[in-house]
Amino acid sequence: MIEQIFSVKDEHEFLEKTSIHLLNKIHEILETQEFCRLGLSGGSTPKKLYRRLAELHIPWEKMVLIVLDERNVSLSDPHSNYGMIRDELLSMIKIPDEQVVFFDTELGYDSAVLSTEQKLIHLKKERLPLFDHLILGVGADGHIAGIFPETPSPQKGFLTMKTHTDMFDVGERMTATMEALTSCASATLLVNGHEKTRVLNAITGSTGAIEGQNNLPIMEFIAKVPTTVYAVNV
Ligand code: 6PG
């Protein structure tokens, strides 16, 4: 369910409002949890936000950061989500390696997925929900993380899976499943770019949305997770 929607006027306001919102959310979570489990989307929108978060007074030693999806490329490849998060955030903060969960593609495609599956299973056994909060982007087609409209649902119980897209850079993907993503207390959804106007319309229930919108991954997600939306340049 959508908790609030903020349409901001420019990138500066977007970064200020989203970073303050997330700072407050993290401190709120840490009032009741020993660690804050924060899921991180890849893509371009959150890049500057991650760099901004690195400048804030966040107790990183109390954070568990989980990269939600990856492309099947080397971690040093410019298309790597982990690589972007490493460069924009991890390289600027002090956080124990074991508190950062990501698809380690250097292990190979299948092993990267299996290894992350095992780490998420361990987190889920420790406590639910799996995530305290997600920072989520959304594609113009309504995809989230590495889950696309055409992605078949995996068997129940799987927390990670391999997916494929012909629509975006790097076809071979790996991602947390919808079951994993929706095991989440709340989320911040970042919607950036005029090409996302129709998906924002779908999210807000406005006219001029996307055909078959109710089956879009983003719609399934917001139906289950309390989500605050920040939209810019839409
Ligand atoms: C990825 C992301 C993906 C992203 C959306 C939006 O691996 O690309 O995880 O789900 O969040 O595609 O991307 P932008 O923020 O670049 O528009």
Side-chain angles (χ1 to χ4, degrees), residues 152-207:
S153 298
Q155 269 183 295
K156 185 164 170 45
F158 280 93
L159 301 177
T160 59
M161 64 178 173
K162 292 160 74 171
T163 61
H164 186 272
T165 177
D166 293 324
M167 297 287 288
F168 298 90
D169 50 8
V170 185
E172 288 188 329
R173 304 285 183 111
M174 53 204 94
T175 183
T177 59
M178 189 62 78
E179 181 176 342
L181 294 175
T182 52
S183 177
C184 178
S186 63
T188 296
L189 178 67
L190 310 174
V191 186
N192 175 24
H194 184 67
E195 74 278 9
K196 301 187 186 168
T197 301
R198 295 177 71 213
V199 75
L200 185 62
N201 286 341
I203 291 166
T204 56
S206 313
T207 55

Side-chain angles (χ1 to χ4, degrees), residues 4-226:
Q4 283 186 290
I5 298 180
F6 299 101
S7 284
V8 296
K9 64 179 183 302
D10 57 27
E11 186 178 80
H12 173 76
E13 186 184 6
F14 181 76
L15 285 175
E16 284 311 301
K17 288 201 169 174
T18 52
S19 56
I20 291 166
H21 169 72
L22 289 161
L23 181 67
N24 292 336
K25 180 59 74 174
I26 289 167
H27 283 293
E28 178 189 312
I29 291 163
L30 289 174
E31 282 172 8
T32 57
Q33 300 294 353
E34 185 186 0
F35 289 95
C36 171
R37 296 173 176 180
L38 179 63
L40 303 177
S41 241
S44 59
T45 301
K47 194 170 176 178
K48 288 182 181 175
L49 173 58
Y50 294 151
R51 177 174 295 205
R52 182 81 183 85
L53 291 179
E55 297 163 357
L56 300 181
H57 292 293
I58 293 172
W60 295 105
E61 73 283 357
K62 295 181 179 179
M63 300 296 292
V64 175
L65 302 178
I66 301 110
V67 180
L68 298 176
D69 70 299
E70 190 53 274
R71 296 86 178 275
N72 188 27
V73 295
S74 161
L75 299 179
S76 56
D77 186 294
H79 288 105
S80 168
N81 284 333
Y82 171 78
M84 178 273 285
I85 293 167
R86 178 197 56 219
D87 297 346
E88 302 301 327
L89 176 60
L90 301 178
S91 60
M92 325 262 236
I93 64 173
K94 274 194 174 179
I95 183 168
D97 288 349
E98 63 271 18
Q99 289 171 221
V100 181
V101 177
F102 63 96
F103 291 92
D104 185 353
T105 56
E106 306 306 338
L107 298 173
Y109 199 2
D110 293 322
S111 299
V113 176
L114 185 60
S115 164
T116 306
E117 176 83 22
Q118 289 163 344
K119 289 174 183 172
L120 295 187
I121 288 171
H122 176 73
L123 285 172
K124 194 171 179 184
K125 279 181 180 168
E126 269 186 346
R127 68 171 169 89
L128 289 176
L130 180 56
F131 298 101
D132 297 308
H133 198 70
L134 293 187
I135 298 175
L136 210 52
V138 62
D141 64 345
H143 81 262
I144 56 174
I147 306 173
F148 301 89
E150 67 277 12
T151 301
S153 298
Q155 269 183 295
K156 185 164 170 45
F158 280 93
L159 301 177
T160 59
M161 64 178 173
K162 292 160 74 171
T163 61
H164 186 272
T165 177
D166 293 324
M167 297 287 288
F168 298 90
D169 50 8
V170 185
E172 288 188 329
R173 304 285 183 111
M174 53 204 94
T175 183
T177 59
M178 189 62 78
E179 181 176 342
L181 294 175
T182 52
S183 177
C184 178
S186 63
T188 296
L189 178 67
L190 310 174
V191 186
N192 175 24
H194 184 67
E195 74 278 9
K196 301 187 186 168
T197 301
R198 295 177 71 213
V199 75
L200 185 62
N201 286 341
I203 291 166
T204 56
S206 313
T207 55
I210 297 177
E211 194 178 327
Q213 68 184 36
N214 293 330
N215 301 320
L216 297 178
I218 184 56
M219 299 304 284
E220 181 176 351
F221 179 83
I222 61 174
K224 296 175 181 172
V225 179

